Every structure is written in structure tokens, then in C-alpha cells.
Amino acid sequence: MTALISGSVAYDTIMVFRDRFKNHVLPEQVHILNVAFLVDQLRREYGGCAGNIAYNLMLLGQRGLPLSTVGKDFGTYAQWMKDWGVPMDYVKRFDDHYCAQAYITTDLDDNQITAFHPGAMNLAHEVKVPTNEGAKIGIVAPNGRDGMVQHAQQFADAGIPFIFDPGQGLPMFNGEELLDFVEKATYMAVNDYESRMVQDRTGLSMDDLAKKLDALIVTRGAEGSDIYANGETIHVDAVTPEDVLDPTGCGDAYRAGLLYGLLNDLDWRTTGQIASLMGSLKVARAGTQNHHFTLEQFRKWYKKAWGSDF
């Protein structure tokens, strides 16, 4: 079974500053800010929502097709995807652009300064939603603005149910545009903060939004997640990770769990529990695609966490 994943494919360059930004930024001089931070740790990770979701879905034994645009520096990422069996059928390369990239500097208080270059991601609309893959489910995750709008319409026109996952792309859309996504989508997945933003911009409550969807999923970090479906709210506890090293990409791992449940016609509680465990496994590893396991291992961990199989 196949899932279509509209979203970004990006590089994340992560740097650690062994001090605190507040010790080097003078509040009364921010209008002439000129600072440099010496970082003794740097790593470059493969990321982007579509890349992360497809990778996690692959670990669960399912086929996820990224609908993404990349640039001339895609080479090493392409080899990574090939090595792990992540399909690149609908990843389109533009040699006059760079891949999307985030440059993130984190200090000892976990404050972050991020510079994001969208690059080829802004051309995501150049990739069309395929109708010949027999896709059972899709997802519209953060991507180029026009790509998100057009892919949602194309999913709806093709009759392919999809999850609307606005994520970091949420600020690009006003209330009317968000409502249009909700009207087209079958499901929506947001974190707690994003759910408040959607409510504020649309003027609709959680109950109002849930009535327009088959399911509304809200993740709440260590407090677990809530799934509003069939007129009821299903709370799913968070799975305690073996360590907390890096939350980046945790939401994408969770969404891969949602897609797995939908692909396999599982009930919402089981689907939420799979998603919760996926997030826990990710947060225990640095980077968004550095956790590895077999489906057999995952089933054992699931049984340990929840006392049953799926």
C-alpha cells in the first residue's frame, strides 16, 4: 500500500553554542546587532517533512512517496534515500536552486536562532499528485506555499483522503485559506500550539473543526495526544523515551505512525499508540533520520509499552 507525502526535503545544519545568547546580546543595542558565535559542534542532517515521514514509514514496512522539489546539492541525500529504499519517483530536481536548508544555532538554554532558505522547495507546485499509484492515503505537510495549496486540491479532485499537517507552514495562511484546507482534508494533525493558532485564525473551536473532519489529531508533547473522532476524544499517553536527545522530527515520526494506521485500517487508539511510540523512538536519537529498527523490533516495543500487539 502506498502513501503520497507532499512536503519538504531539506538539509538541517545544527550548531551548538557552548554559552548563552543573553550573555552576548545587549538589549539596548539590538538595533545595531552584530554578533558572532563560535560553535564547537556542528552536524549536517537529512531532514524535511516529506523526507522524515517517508523514512519513518519505510521503517514500518510501508511505501511512502515524497512529492518534493530539491536542488543541485541533493546528491548525498539522494544516495541516503536510495540506500534506505525511500522512493524518489516524484522528487524533482532543479539545478539552478539549492535544496531547502535550515541553519540552527542552539545555546545552553536551548534557545535557537534559525535561518531557513526555502530554495527549490518553493517550486513544489511543479510536482503533481500522481493518480496512477493506487495511493490509499496522502498528507499535505509543510512545503512550498503553492505546492501545499495545489496538492490539497489535487488530492481532493482525485478522491484521495489526506491529512492536512500545516506545521511550520501555518503562518503562510489566513483563516479563510486554512478553512479551505480543512474542507478538503479528511484528517488534520497539529500540535497544541498550532491548534490554538488554527482556532484563532478560523474562529472555530476544536469541536467545530472536528465536525468538519473524520479525525482531528492534536499532539501535546510529554502529555500525549488527543484524537477527536466519531464524536469522542481518545487520549493517548506519551511513551517515555529511553533518553531525550533531540525533539526535532518527532512530529514527523508521529505522523508516519498515523499513516501506518490509516494504511492498515487500524482503529484510532491503536493508530495513536503506534504514532506515540514512533515519536518516543525518534526523540531518543539526535537527528531526524538516525533511528533504525525492524518492524519485528517495533512490535516488541509496542507490546512492552501497551501490553498488546497490533
Side-chain angles (χ1 to χ4, degrees), residues 47 61 72 75 89 123 133 138 172 198 213:
K72 56 189 173 184
D89 308 54
L123 298 171
E133 290 288 348
M172 296 189 293
V198 172
L213 299 155

Side-chain angles (χ1 to χ4, degrees), residues 4 6 67 128-131 135-140 147-164 179-187 213:
L4 300 176
S6 168
L67 311 181
K128 307 303 180 187
V129 169
T131 58
K136 185 173 181 178
I137 187 71
I139 184 169
V140 174
M148 293 179 71
V149 171
Q150 293 187 29
H151 290 166
Q153 184 64 58
Q154 290 163 14
F155 277 132
D157 291 345
I160 300 172
F162 72 95
I163 300 171
F164 175 45
L179 275 177
D180 188 59
F181 277 111
V182 172
E183 295 288 351
K184 291 182 173 72
T186 317
Y187 319 97
L213 299 155

Side-chain angles (χ1 to χ4, degrees), residues 271-285:
T271 297
Q273 289 175 169
I274 290 171
S276 178
L277 179 56
M278 287 295 293
S280 172
L281 294 171
K282 159 64 253 323
V283 81
R285 297 289 182 272

